[in-house]
Amino acid sequence: MSDVMCDFCGNEWTLERPMVEGHHGSCICGPCLTVAYTELVVAKGGDAPAGYKCTLCLEHREDPGWASPAREAWVCRRCVKQSAGVMGKDKESGWSRPV
Ligand SMILES: [Zn+2]
Ligand SMILES: [Zn+2]
């Protein structure tokens, strides 16, 4: 379990830090997803550069994206919503959607 790292903050997957896997072995953790969801969905913002490549779906996306403050990683709004759905359904994650 502990050799999986969040692509956005570099922290390891632990019981206290739930993660959702992207399509290609990439991962986003609960705390990063909270920040990304808040920025992209709640605040309708996004600070990823134009033509960014989403780290989770590996696509060049036109929709707003969140840029990791710690690493060269971006996530698109579609992946944030998908990941929030997955993590929100997993009761053990303890994660809930920011409002
Ligand atoms: Zn993270
Ligand atoms: Zn994506």
Side-chain angles (χ1 to χ4, degrees), residues 54 57 76 78-79:
C54 173
C57 63
C76 70
R78 182 185 63 174
C79 286

Side-chain angles (χ1 to χ4, degrees), residues 11-12 18 43 45 48 50 73 80 91:
N11 284 297
E12 288 181 353
V80 164
K91 296 266 181 289

